[in-house]
Every structure is written in C-alpha cells, then in structure tokens.
Amino acid sequence: MLIIKRFVPILGFFLSGCIVVPTYTGRVSLQPTNYSEQEVDITNVLLVGTGPIASRMFLDNLSSKMMETFKRKGVSSEFSYIGKVPQLANLKLDSLVTAPFDACLVFKASDDVYLNMTKVKYTGVAITGATVAGYGNQYKDKYTVSLYTKKEGMQLVWQGDLKVDFDLAEDSRYNQISNLIFKELSKKRILP
C-alpha cells in the first residue's frame, strides 16, 4: 500500500506523457552516543519534546507513533511539549516528571531547524514541453534523544543523535524513526 501511495503521482505523470524526476529524497538516521549498563524496568514513560513550532509538528506525529508502540509493549506513556529551549540549557526534568512516570524520553531539538513549505519534490516534463512540479514540506533538524530513569534521581540510561530530513507529511517516516529508537532500546535491553 505504501508503495502505491508513493508512486501514484509518478504514475499519473507517466501516463500523461510526462517524464518525472524526484528532486528531493528524505533521510533519517539515529546514532547512539551513550548508554548505561544498569538494569532498567520501565512501566510509565513521559515523552518530552523541545524546539520551535516546526519541531512541535514533527514531535506530535512521532510521539503518537511511539505511544502506540509503548502501549503494545505494556508501557504507558504520555507526551509533553515544552517549547523552545536553548541548546546549552539544562532541562529541569525533576519538575516535569511527576509520580506516575518512572522514565523520561527527551527529544531536544538543535537550534538550526529548517522548514520549507514549498520544497519541490518532483519535476515532470511533458511531451509538449510543459513542466509540472509536485511540492512537499521539507523539515530538517537534529535532535539529542535521551532516556532518563527516576532510579536514583534522573539518571541517563541511553542517548543518541537523531537527524531528520524529510517531508513532514510522510507518515512512514515517523514509523521508521520510532522503529529505529525502539530497536536501539531493545538492543541495549532497556525495553522488551
């Protein structure tokens, strides 16, 4: 189904006698940077997002995908967006993470977010010489993703650098990012 959704615009251009060339391809990467060997038992996690408005759109979509996965794993979760926080500022997580939560997964956005609401995704040239374009919403940012546990205060359990560069409307990218994060947390035996 995903393949059909992705190639329907291209197929339409092709059938109308157009040659279609993608001009923008999205990318996502997650690089683990730090993790602890300690045993972690997580039953309730608070997802915390920081960043400008463009980050809010991205984090709302990503957190809903992650909350679905947490639910399937038997972990309850909630999302809280706290706005733009300077990159060098420390978050006061103790004030955010209240009684029901035993862990906190923080998405801290960098200061160099990029959003282009009129990015050309496809260019088509018809047999007649007419040019057509398909537009998308290119979102580009870097996040430091950190998992803290309330065991002995807020202690860092896992951390990674997440880089995103894709169309905000591509639902499959949120699944991809969520899967990357859960794969890393499972690999380190933080989550089942």
Side-chain angles (χ1 to χ4, degrees), residues 95-143:
S95 63
L96 290 172
V97 183
T98 55
F101 301 105
D102 51 24
C104 184
L105 185 60
V106 178
F107 293 85
K108 191 171 184 183
S110 71
D111 290 330
D112 50 331
V113 63
Y114 173 81
L115 178 62
N116 183 344
M117 302 295 276
T118 58
K119 181 73 174 181
V120 176
K121 281 184 74 173
Y122 305 102
T123 302
V125 180
I127 294 171
T128 61
T131 303
V132 289
Y135 296 91
N137 306 307
Q138 183 186 9
Y139 172 66
K140 186 176 182 180
D141 204 352
K142 291 180 245 173
Y143 288 87

Side-chain angles (χ1 to χ4, degrees), residues 2-14:
L2 175 64
I3 293 171
I4 293 170
K5 280 184 178 178
R6 191 168 275 178
F7 291 105
V8 165
I10 295 171
L11 183 62
F13 283 132
F14 180 73

Side-chain angles (χ1 to χ4, degrees), residues 4-175:
I4 293 170
K5 280 184 178 178
R6 191 168 275 178
F7 291 105
V8 165
I10 295 171
L11 183 62
F13 283 132
F14 180 73
L15 293 176
S16 64
C18 286
I19 298 172
V20 178
V21 179
T23 57
Y24 167 63
T25 304
R27 290 176 291 289
V28 170
S29 70
L30 178 64
Q31 182 64 46
T33 57
N34 192 358
Y35 75 95
S36 169
E37 294 288 341
Q38 73 176 0
E39 288 264 330
V40 180
D41 183 29
I42 297 173
T43 56
N44 299 297
V45 64
L46 176 64
L47 303 167
V48 176
T50 73
I53 295 300
S55 297
R56 171 78 191 253
M57 291 186 289
F58 165 75
L59 291 168
D60 278 342
N61 291 332
L62 177 60
S63 65
S64 67
K65 296 294 182 189
M66 293 194 72
M67 288 169 33
E68 289 172 13
T69 305
F70 274 123
K71 186 175 182 178
R72 284 193 304 271
K73 292 182 177 286
V75 176
S76 61
S77 59
E78 288 184 27
F79 173 65
S80 178
Y81 172 75
I82 59 175
K84 189 170 181 177
V85 175
Q87 190 64 21
L88 299 176
N90 289 327
L91 294 177
K92 304 289 186 207
L93 293 176
D94 289 329
S95 63
L96 290 172
V97 183
T98 55
F101 301 105
D102 51 24
C104 184
L105 185 60
V106 178
F107 293 85
K108 191 171 184 183
S110 71
D111 290 330
D112 50 331
V113 63
Y114 173 81
L115 178 62
N116 183 344
M117 302 295 276
T118 58
K119 181 73 174 181
V120 176
K121 281 184 74 173
Y122 305 102
T123 302
V125 180
I127 294 171
T128 61
T131 303
V132 289
Y135 296 91
N137 306 307
Q138 183 186 9
Y139 172 66
K140 186 176 182 180
D141 204 352
K142 291 180 245 173
Y143 288 87
T144 300
V145 184
S146 307
L147 179 66
Y148 297 91
T149 181
K150 282 177 70 173
K151 187 178 181 180
E152 299 174 22
M154 292 308 254
Q155 190 172 33
L156 181 67
V157 177
W158 178 87
Q159 192 169 60
D161 291 332
L162 174 65
K163 293 180 184 175
V164 296
D165 180 359
F166 67 99
D167 185 337
L168 276 173
E170 286 185 27
D171 193 52
S172 64
R173 292 293 181 178
Y174 299 104
N175 286 324

